[in-house]
Amino acid sequence: MDAWVWWLVAAATLGIPLIITAMPEFGMLAVGAVAAAGTAGIGGGPVAQVVVFAIVSTALILVVRPVARRMRTERPALASGIDALKGRQAVVLERVDRDSGRIKLAGEIWSARALDSETIYEPGSQVDVVEIDGATAVVM
């Protein structure tokens, strides 16, 4: 069997742990094996094949891995659900005090209560949502 076929078998074999463990390093080694298969396919000797495998794999690990790690840690925070409602403004529909009230928040009507027990918000005023407590918006 030709050497390029063995390199492709090695690439496929390296792809298995990539899928099972989700470790991208195996994928980078598999790409190195495919590059070595290409070297063998164009007539490169065994030493050239191993050197191409080592250079491509090492280069991918040294370049791609830090970029992927940085992208994973610097992901923008995307708030969803009730977390997306915190900090938004709402309009008071019914008087909001420390016990009860109603606001219009993100196009929906929510029950609300004031964060400060001494503060009362009248209908039509703008309030900021501080947190969501169950089905009640806490506003200020």
Side-chain angles (χ1 to χ4, degrees), residues 77-89 105-106 108 110 128-134 136-138:
L78 179 63
S80 62
I82 61 172
D83 291 330
L85 298 175
K86 293 177 185 175
R88 295 194 57 184
Q89 285 195 336
L105 172 63
E108 298 177 347
W110 281 74
D128 293 319
V129 177
V130 177
E131 67 178 299
I132 304 292
D133 183 19
T136 303
V138 181

Short mmCIF file of all heavy atoms in Angstrom, two decimals, residues 77-89 105-106 108 110 128-134 136-138:
data_model
loop_
_atom_site.label_atom_id
_atom_site.label_comp_id
_atom_site.label_asym_id
_atom_site.label_seq_id
_atom_site.Cartn_x
_atom_site.Cartn_y
_atom_site.Cartn_z
N ALA A 77 -20.98 38.62 26.10
CA ALA A 77 -22.07 38.08 26.91
C ALA A 77 -23.40 38.39 26.25
O ALA A 77 -23.72 39.53 25.98
CB ALA A 77 -22.02 38.67 28.31
N LEU A 78 -24.13 37.36 25.96
CA LEU A 78 -25.44 37.52 25.34
C LEU A 78 -26.48 37.14 26.38
O LEU A 78 -26.63 35.97 26.74
CB LEU A 78 -25.57 36.63 24.11
CG LEU A 78 -26.90 36.69 23.39
CD1 LEU A 78 -27.13 38.10 22.84
CD2 LEU A 78 -26.94 35.69 22.25
N ALA A 79 -27.15 38.15 26.90
CA ALA A 79 -28.16 37.89 27.92
C ALA A 79 -29.45 37.41 27.25
O ALA A 79 -29.84 37.90 26.20
CB ALA A 79 -28.43 39.15 28.71
N SER A 80 -30.08 36.45 27.88
CA SER A 80 -31.35 35.95 27.35
C SER A 80 -32.30 35.70 28.51
O SER A 80 -31.90 35.68 29.67
CB SER A 80 -31.13 34.66 26.55
OG SER A 80 -30.61 33.65 27.40
N GLY A 81 -33.55 35.51 28.19
CA GLY A 81 -34.56 35.26 29.22
C GLY A 81 -34.71 36.46 30.15
O GLY A 81 -34.64 37.61 29.72
N ILE A 82 -34.85 36.19 31.43
CA ILE A 82 -35.05 37.29 32.38
C ILE A 82 -33.78 38.12 32.55
O ILE A 82 -33.86 39.29 32.91
CB ILE A 82 -35.57 36.79 33.74
CG1 ILE A 82 -34.60 35.84 34.40
CG2 ILE A 82 -36.94 36.17 33.61
CD1 ILE A 82 -34.95 35.47 35.82
N ASP A 83 -32.62 37.55 32.30
CA ASP A 83 -31.38 38.32 32.39
C ASP A 83 -31.35 39.45 31.38
O ASP A 83 -30.74 40.48 31.62
CB ASP A 83 -30.16 37.42 32.20
CG ASP A 83 -29.98 36.45 33.36
OD1 ASP A 83 -30.36 36.81 34.49
OD2 ASP A 83 -29.46 35.35 33.14
N ALA A 84 -31.99 39.26 30.23
CA ALA A 84 -32.02 40.30 29.20
C ALA A 84 -32.93 41.46 29.61
O ALA A 84 -32.83 42.55 29.04
CB ALA A 84 -32.50 39.71 27.87
N LEU A 85 -33.80 41.25 30.57
CA LEU A 85 -34.72 42.31 31.00
C LEU A 85 -34.12 43.21 32.06
O LEU A 85 -34.56 44.35 32.23
CB LEU A 85 -36.02 41.69 31.52
CG LEU A 85 -36.81 40.87 30.50
CD1 LEU A 85 -38.00 40.21 31.17
CD2 LEU A 85 -37.25 41.73 29.33
N LYS A 86 -33.12 42.74 32.76
CA LYS A 86 -32.49 43.55 33.81
C LYS A 86 -31.82 44.76 33.17
O LYS A 86 -31.14 44.65 32.15
CB LYS A 86 -31.46 42.74 34.58
CG LYS A 86 -32.07 41.63 35.38
CD LYS A 86 -31.01 40.81 36.07
CE LYS A 86 -31.61 39.62 36.79
NZ LYS A 86 -30.59 38.76 37.37
N GLY A 87 -32.06 45.91 33.77
CA GLY A 87 -31.46 47.14 33.26
C GLY A 87 -32.28 47.85 32.20
O GLY A 87 -31.93 48.95 31.77
N ARG A 88 -33.36 47.26 31.75
CA ARG A 88 -34.21 47.90 30.74
C ARG A 88 -35.18 48.88 31.39
O ARG A 88 -35.46 48.80 32.57
CB ARG A 88 -34.98 46.84 29.96
CG ARG A 88 -34.01 45.97 29.17
CD ARG A 88 -34.62 45.13 28.14
NE ARG A 88 -35.38 45.87 27.16
CZ ARG A 88 -36.06 45.29 26.19
NH1 ARG A 88 -36.06 43.98 26.10
NH2 ARG A 88 -36.74 46.00 25.33
N GLN A 89 -35.68 49.78 30.57
CA GLN A 89 -36.66 50.74 31.06
C GLN A 89 -38.06 50.21 30.81
O GLN A 89 -38.29 49.47 29.85
CB GLN A 89 -36.49 52.09 30.37
CG GLN A 89 -35.30 52.85 30.88
CD GLN A 89 -35.35 54.30 30.45
OE1 GLN A 89 -35.98 54.64 29.46
NE2 GLN A 89 -34.68 55.15 31.21
N LEU A 105 -43.15 46.23 30.14
CA LEU A 105 -41.73 45.92 29.96
C LEU A 105 -41.55 45.06 28.73
O LEU A 105 -42.13 43.98 28.64
CB LEU A 105 -41.19 45.21 31.21
CG LEU A 105 -39.78 44.64 31.15
CD1 LEU A 105 -38.77 45.76 30.97
CD2 LEU A 105 -39.48 43.88 32.43
N ALA A 106 -40.81 45.55 27.77
CA ALA A 106 -40.52 44.81 26.53
C ALA A 106 -41.81 44.38 25.83
O ALA A 106 -41.91 43.26 25.33
CB ALA A 106 -39.63 43.60 26.82
N GLU A 108 -44.64 43.69 27.12
CA GLU A 108 -45.50 42.83 27.93
C GLU A 108 -45.84 43.52 29.25
O GLU A 108 -45.08 44.35 29.74
CB GLU A 108 -44.79 41.51 28.24
CG GLU A 108 -44.47 40.70 27.00
CD GLU A 108 -43.71 39.42 27.34
OE1 GLU A 108 -43.23 39.29 28.49
OE2 GLU A 108 -43.60 38.56 26.46
N TRP A 110 -46.13 43.40 33.16
CA TRP A 110 -45.53 42.67 34.27
C TRP A 110 -46.06 43.21 35.58
O TRP A 110 -46.33 44.40 35.71
CB TRP A 110 -44.02 42.87 34.27
CG TRP A 110 -43.27 42.04 33.29
CD1 TRP A 110 -43.23 42.23 31.95
CD2 TRP A 110 -42.46 40.92 33.57
NE1 TRP A 110 -42.43 41.29 31.38
CE2 TRP A 110 -41.94 40.47 32.35
CE3 TRP A 110 -42.10 40.25 34.74
CZ2 TRP A 110 -41.09 39.38 32.27
CZ3 TRP A 110 -41.25 39.16 34.65
CH2 TRP A 110 -40.76 38.73 33.42
N ASP A 128 -36.60 51.86 35.87
CA ASP A 128 -35.57 50.91 35.44
C ASP A 128 -35.77 49.60 36.17
O ASP A 128 -36.00 49.58 37.39
CB ASP A 128 -34.17 51.45 35.75
CG ASP A 128 -33.83 52.67 34.91
OD1 ASP A 128 -34.16 52.67 33.71
OD2 ASP A 128 -33.22 53.61 35.46
N VAL A 129 -35.65 48.50 35.43
CA VAL A 129 -35.79 47.17 36.04
C VAL A 129 -34.45 46.80 36.66
O VAL A 129 -33.42 46.75 35.99
CB VAL A 129 -36.21 46.13 34.99
CG1 VAL A 129 -36.27 44.75 35.61
CG2 VAL A 129 -37.55 46.51 34.39
N VAL A 130 -34.48 46.53 37.96
CA VAL A 130 -33.26 46.18 38.69
C VAL A 130 -33.07 44.66 38.68
O VAL A 130 -31.96 44.16 38.48
CB VAL A 130 -33.33 46.70 40.14
CG1 VAL A 130 -32.12 46.28 40.93
CG2 VAL A 130 -33.49 48.20 40.14
N GLU A 131 -34.13 43.94 38.90
CA GLU A 131 -34.07 42.48 38.89
C GLU A 131 -35.46 41.91 38.65
O GLU A 131 -36.45 42.62 38.69
CB GLU A 131 -33.49 41.94 40.21
CG GLU A 131 -34.37 42.18 41.41
CD GLU A 131 -33.79 41.59 42.68
OE1 GLU A 131 -33.61 40.35 42.73
OE2 GLU A 131 -33.51 42.36 43.61
N ILE A 132 -35.49 40.62 38.38
CA ILE A 132 -36.75 39.91 38.23
C ILE A 132 -36.83 38.91 39.36
O ILE A 132 -35.95 38.07 39.53
CB ILE A 132 -36.85 39.18 36.87
CG1 ILE A 132 -36.64 40.14 35.70
CG2 ILE A 132 -38.17 38.44 36.74
CD1 ILE A 132 -37.72 41.17 35.51
N ASP A 133 -37.88 39.01 40.17
CA ASP A 133 -38.09 38.13 41.30
C ASP A 133 -39.32 37.28 41.00
O ASP A 133 -40.45 37.71 41.23
CB ASP A 133 -38.27 38.96 42.58
CG ASP A 133 -38.42 38.10 43.82
OD1 ASP A 133 -38.04 36.92 43.77
OD2 ASP A 133 -38.94 38.62 44.83
N GLY A 134 -39.09 36.08 40.49
CA GLY A 134 -40.20 35.23 40.06
C GLY A 134 -40.88 35.85 38.85
O GLY A 134 -40.27 36.00 37.81
N THR A 136 -42.28 38.91 39.10
CA THR A 136 -42.40 40.31 39.49
C THR A 136 -41.12 41.06 39.16
O THR A 136 -40.03 40.59 39.53
CB THR A 136 -42.70 40.43 40.99
OG1 THR A 136 -43.89 39.70 41.29
CG2 THR A 136 -42.87 41.87 41.41
N ALA A 137 -41.26 42.18 38.50
CA ALA A 137 -40.12 43.03 38.20
C ALA A 137 -39.88 43.96 39.37
O ALA A 137 -40.82 44.60 39.86
CB ALA A 137 -40.35 43.82 36.93
N VAL A 138 -38.66 44.03 39.84
CA VAL A 138 -38.28 44.97 40.90
C VAL A 138 -37.71 46.19 40.19
O VAL A 138 -36.77 46.08 39.41
CB VAL A 138 -37.27 44.35 41.86
CG1 VAL A 138 -36.90 45.34 42.95
CG2 VAL A 138 -37.81 43.07 42.45
#
